[in-house]
Amino acid sequence: MASELDKSSSSPPIKSRPVAASLILVLGLIGLGLGIAASISFGAADIHLATVWEAVFKFNPELTQHQIIQELRMPRAAAATLVGAGFAVAGAIMQGMTRNPLADSGLLGINAGSAFVIVICFAFMKGLPFMSLMLFSFAGAALGAGLVFGISSLARGGLSPVRLALAGAAVSALLTALGEGISIHFRIGQDLAFFYAGGVAGVKWMHVKFIIPWVIGALAVAMALSRSITLLSLGEEIATGLGQRTGVVKIIGMIVVFILAGSSVALVGSIGFVGLIIPHLTRFLVGVDYRWIIPCSAVLGGLLMLLADLAARLVNPPYETPVGALIAVIGVPFFLYLARKQRREM
């Protein structure tokens, strides 16, 4: 894939694999279709595939099984797809703009900031509409990121991947502890349990319809910024030398991250590691061109969340395992591997 950067003698060529990326998009979309079909077919209630088909295309509101498919499983599958894509692309943008392989909305305090502000809303503004709750979640995402980057910048030597990860862990722990203290004091812990565990159980079509325009719009802006993010990932000096307004790109990119992470947390709670695992896997498969990384991350992120949600229902039926816990089983070892690798390179 040729670009101005490829032709520049002062910068390395972009390593991309368009054939592999195209194959991932095609197979990933097929996988998403199969994953959505599996998600609405399997669960605590045993429903035959023929009944699932009828509920989707010949809905009868008088049948309980049709209601389960339409009102519970279909919005749940849609939410998992949107949230997985949102977390994955948010992580990809952060890693590209900051050149920090450990960047993730969960690790850098963004998810914790969103959850903390949502706790405050539940405690002091009961009955708040979901749309307003989501806007407050955006503000909480900005609060969490501001605290992490502010604390990290005060350290000697400036920002570094490990310092950002440590500051993110500290800020996340602080905001989570404060949120839990508020929830205990105001006796709203039961209402907020799903925010800390993370999951798509109980999501309704009303909630999904609210976040669709935000997530789709943010993903579209991310695609428009993809070339600029590619240049930033190679170094700010290179990007500036090639005519990029790096300050503007970073501001717009962070707004996109706040929207993607904030809307996802408002819908399913604080789920980490999706934005860490998927961008690294995608770069390994398609190269470092973000014109391919962003759409492939969206597809693979949605697929990961769908499969994790399906596994959450099947691991210990009829009870559900928190989706955040299942993803953490993969994410924690992956994070430790990246941290160890980064330490060797320092």
Side-chain angles (χ1 to χ4, degrees), residues 15-86:
K15 295 180 180 178
S16 65
R17 305 182 187 96
V19 175
S22 301
L23 189 62
I24 288 170
L25 287 175
V26 172
L27 294 178
L29 289 173
I30 293 173
L32 276 178
L34 295 175
I36 290 172
S39 180
I40 63 177
S41 300
F42 300 104
D46 187 15
I47 301 176
H48 293 293
L49 290 177
T51 306
V52 173
W53 184 269
E54 290 177 359
V56 174
F57 296 101
K58 298 178 181 180
F59 176 62
N60 184 351
E62 296 181 358
L63 297 179
T64 302
Q65 291 185 328
H66 284 207
Q67 291 178 358
I68 291 173
I69 296 297
Q70 283 279 351
E71 301 301 326
L72 297 178
R73 293 187 182 176
M74 288 181 66
R76 181 171 184 162
T81 305
L82 289 170
V83 165

Side-chain angles (χ1 to χ4, degrees), residues 221-263:
V221 175
M223 279 302 303
L225 286 177
S226 59
R227 181 181 178 279
S228 298
I229 296 172
T230 301
L231 298 178
L232 274 175
S233 71
L234 298 176
E236 191 159 349
E237 292 183 0
I238 292 175
T240 303
L242 291 172
Q244 294 296 312
R245 299 173 65 183
T246 57
V248 175
V249 172
K250 287 182 178 181
I251 291 172
I252 297 175
M254 288 309 297
I255 291 173
V256 170
V257 169
F258 297 154
I259 291 174
L260 291 174
S263 57

Side-chain angles (χ1 to χ4, degrees), residues 35-45 67-84 198-209 211 267-268 302 305-315 318-324 326:
I36 290 172
S39 180
I40 63 177
S41 300
F42 300 104
Q67 291 178 358
I68 291 173
I69 296 297
Q70 283 279 351
E71 301 301 326
L72 297 178
R73 293 187 182 176
M74 288 181 66
R76 181 171 184 162
T81 305
L82 289 170
V83 165
V200 293
V203 172
K204 306 296 184 184
W205 276 123
M206 175 189 69
H207 304 133
V208 175
K209 290 176 181 177
I211 76 160
L267 188 64
V268 303
M305 277 294 297
L306 269 175
L307 295 178
D309 179 53
L310 185 60
R313 284 178 270 172
L314 300 179
V315 167
Y319 306 103
E320 290 199 16
T321 305
V323 175
L326 289 179

Side-chain angles (χ1 to χ4, degrees), residues 275-333:
L276 180 71
I277 299 170
I278 294 300
H280 280 280
L281 175 62
T282 305
R283 272 193 298 274
F284 175 77
L285 295 173
V286 308
V288 297
D289 192 338
Y290 276 78
R291 287 172 291 186
W292 291 113
I293 289 174
I294 287 175
C296 289
S297 293
V299 171
L300 294 178
L303 185 58
L304 174 63
M305 277 294 297
L306 269 175
L307 295 178
D309 179 53
L310 185 60
R313 284 178 270 172
L314 300 179
V315 167
N316 187 29
Y319 306 103
E320 290 199 16
T321 305
V323 175
L326 289 179
I327 295 179
V329 170
I330 307 171
V332 170

